[in-house]
Amino acid sequence: MTKNKNYYCVIMAGGIGSRFWPISTTKFPKQFHDILGTGKTLIQQTFERLNKVILKENIFVITNKEYVGLTLSQLPDISKNQIIGEPKMMNTAACNIYMAEKIHKLNPNASIIVAPSDHLIIDEDLFIKNVLTALQHASNEDILVTLGISPTRPDTGYGYIEYAKEGKEGLYQVKSFKEKPNLETAKEFLKSKNFLWNSGIFIWSSQSILNSYLKYLPEMYEIFKSIVPYYNTNNEAEAVEKIYSKIEKISIDYGILEKSTNVWVIPSTFGWSDLGTWSALYENFNKNEEGNAVHGNNIYTYDTSNTIIKTDLSNKIYIIDGLTDFIIVDTSEALLVCPRDNDQKIKDYLENIKKLEEDKKSK
């Protein structure tokens, strides 16, 4: 395949992945782990997948400045100036306009795919086909495109996209974005057949997305516009550092996409998971006859079913008896044992522990 020099990619790799604790930590987040046991980390898999359609030199990674070295060590095929360290985490509206301005200055004819670094995609050929369709439309029309995932179950862990039933060339106009629903609402979405899971994968031309910021987030647009002369120079990082304290912390979904009237979606069936929780990982792991997903050595189970058990330690024997639908993860620093239904609470556990530790120090 001849790769189009006007096509660019931004891999978002700044998340902490706190719901994947204790494997994922602030020092070593989940995108830098081989969570799936493939021999490659999630960010390496993402890079290789996108490199099938995007030139290596046109792939950028935006991450926390603390992870620039880690990213470079895992992606040695790209240069250090392709890895952008944000001064602090300011949600997705900030990083997207930053990268759109930066790439637009390099190439005003750029079309960009923005993708998270930690997703599972099973049918990569179909994914590439959908991406190319989106890039071609985004290059020729003033539209913002997203890949929506055809739902296979009434999942309450994902946001949803409602789309019009009449489309053109595989694209359908987005009617609305919906927050994570309760189970009853998710069942209604599934039944109606015109709702998709929001994958968080976006495709647009640099000009179209910048036009959208000018219209819907004009203050943010003006702040980033003020440092355009510094993009792709030695003074870029210093200029960005100065403006980051002035910008609004808001998601691109809420700040731009939910307000825009030119958002289109491609319904996709390439086998996707955002691997946001241990339960999502459990669904994608191989399981034994009892429904247990066991990753590690010296693990013995009795009267235990539908449980994920993961450890990288080899100096222990594990005996698990009488558990159903649990998560058990053991590392050198921490042990997690909780019901699978509570995996969304892991972030809350950590915040509570942090608060208790701060209270101890203040006494």
Side-chain angles (χ1 to χ4, degrees):
M1 180 196 300
T2 303
K3 297 173 186 175
N4 189 320
K5 64 179 176 26
N6 292 330
Y7 290 170
Y8 289 76
C9 169
V10 174
I11 298 174
M12 294 188 293
I16 296 167
S18 54
R19 289 185 182 87
F20 259 108
W21 184 87
I23 296 290
S24 182
T25 64
T26 52
K27 288 183 180 175
F28 206 87
K30 69 170 180 175
Q31 59 268 30
F32 302 110
H33 287 271
D34 177 13
I35 292 232
L36 294 164
T38 62
K40 289 175 183 170
T41 66
L42 293 176
I43 194 171
Q44 287 171 335
Q45 290 183 63
T46 302
F47 173 82
E48 288 182 9
R49 183 185 308 131
L50 290 160
N51 190 211
K52 290 179 179 179
V53 68
I54 308 290
L55 290 164
K56 180 172 64 177
E57 57 269 27
N58 286 5
I59 298 176
F60 290 86
V61 179
I62 186 158
T63 185
N64 189 299
K65 64 181 180 181
E66 293 176 23
Y67 308 144
V68 168
L70 190 53
T71 305
L72 192 59
S73 69
Q74 293 206 356
L75 300 178
D77 284 348
I78 61 177
S79 64
K80 190 173 180 180
N81 62 15
Q82 290 169 258
I83 302 170
I84 315 304
E86 281 188 285
K88 57 182 175 178
M89 307 304 290
M90 292 300 288
N91 214 318
T92 51
C95 67
N96 273 286
I97 188 170
Y98 176 12
M99 295 310 299
E101 288 281 23
K102 181 178 174 65
I103 291 170
H104 190 72
K105 189 181 177 190
L106 285 172
N107 181 352
N109 297 314
S111 291
I112 306 165
I113 172 169
V114 179
S117 60
D118 52 5
H119 287 185
L120 168 68
I121 288 171
I122 293 168
D123 188 341
E124 294 198 348
D125 289 341
L126 182 54
F127 169 76
I128 293 301
K129 184 181 176 184
N130 289 163
V131 168
L132 281 170
T133 298
L135 283 166
Q136 285 157 7
H137 280 279
S139 298
N140 297 318
E141 302 165 55
D142 183 21
I143 59 173
L144 313 178
V145 185
T146 182
L147 303 185
I149 309 302
S150 298
T152 54
R153 59 187 182 276
D155 201 300
T156 60
Y158 298 136
Y160 284 72
I161 298 169
E162 181 186 13
Y163 65 102
K165 297 202 172 172
E166 296 297 319
K168 59 169 188 180
E169 299 173 34
L171 273 73
Y172 297 79
Q173 189 144 27
V174 171
K175 293 173 75 174
S176 65
F177 287 83
K178 304 291 186 184
E179 298 298 321
K180 294 175 184 178
N182 59 30
L183 186 58
E184 277 311 304
T185 305
K187 285 177 180 176
E188 289 300 315
F189 288 171
L190 192 64
K191 199 186 296 182
S192 75
K193 299 191 184 302
N194 67 317
F195 283 84
L196 303 163
W197 289 334
N198 185 353
S199 71
I201 301 170
F202 307 114
I203 301 97
W204 41 57
S205 70
S206 58
Q207 188 63 66
S208 291
I209 192 62
L210 291 174
N211 290 344
S212 298
Y213 274 93
L214 178 59
K215 186 173 183 180
Y216 299 111
L217 290 174
E219 286 186 20
M220 188 178 288
Y221 176 86
E222 292 301 334
I223 289 169
F224 277 90
K225 195 74 177 170
S226 71
I227 62 164
V228 165
Y230 300 104
Y231 291 127
N232 310 311
T233 73
N234 293 333
N235 299 317
E236 179 182 320
E238 184 184 352
V240 170
E241 182 105 35
K242 284 178 181 173
I243 65 165
Y244 251 61
S245 59
K246 302 175 186 176
I247 55 179
E248 183 181 2
K249 193 172 187 178
I250 187 173
S251 72
I252 194 164
D253 299 67
Y254 186 74
I256 301 288
L257 299 171
E258 291 180 17
K259 299 170 184 173
S260 300
T261 56
N262 65 334
V263 185
W264 292 72
V265 64
I266 297 178
S268 304
T269 56
F270 44 69
W272 169 92
S273 171
D274 74 346
L275 297 179
T277 64
W278 282 111
S279 285
L281 189 61
Y282 171 82
E283 295 296 332
N284 291 286
F285 268 158
N286 291 327
K287 292 170 271 292
N288 62 21
E289 290 177 3
E290 291 76 37
N292 296 322
V294 179
H295 280 252
N297 298 317
N298 306 321
I299 297 171
Y300 303 91
T301 60
Y302 303 89
D303 192 26
T304 292
S305 60
N306 303 330
T307 290
I308 182 168
I309 308 163
K310 182 170 175 61
T311 177
D312 296 327
L313 305 178
S314 56
N315 60 341
K316 291 183 183 180
I317 291 175
Y318 296 87
I319 298 173
I320 316 295
D321 188 358
L323 294 183
T324 299
D325 294 315
F326 264 73
I327 301 163
I328 304 167
V329 185
D330 193 22
T331 72
S332 59
E333 295 185 359
L335 168 67
L336 169 70
V337 181
C338 80
R340 275 176 45 212
D341 284 349
N342 289 359
D343 64 355
Q344 293 282 354
K345 294 183 179 178
I346 293 172
K347 191 174 183 178
D348 299 333
Y349 300 153
L350 294 177
E351 287 174 0
N352 188 46
I353 291 167
K354 186 179 177 183
K355 186 175 181 299
L356 290 170
E357 291 294 324
E358 286 172 353
D359 288 347
K360 273 187 201 172
K361 286 177 183 175
S362 65
K363 286 178 182 176

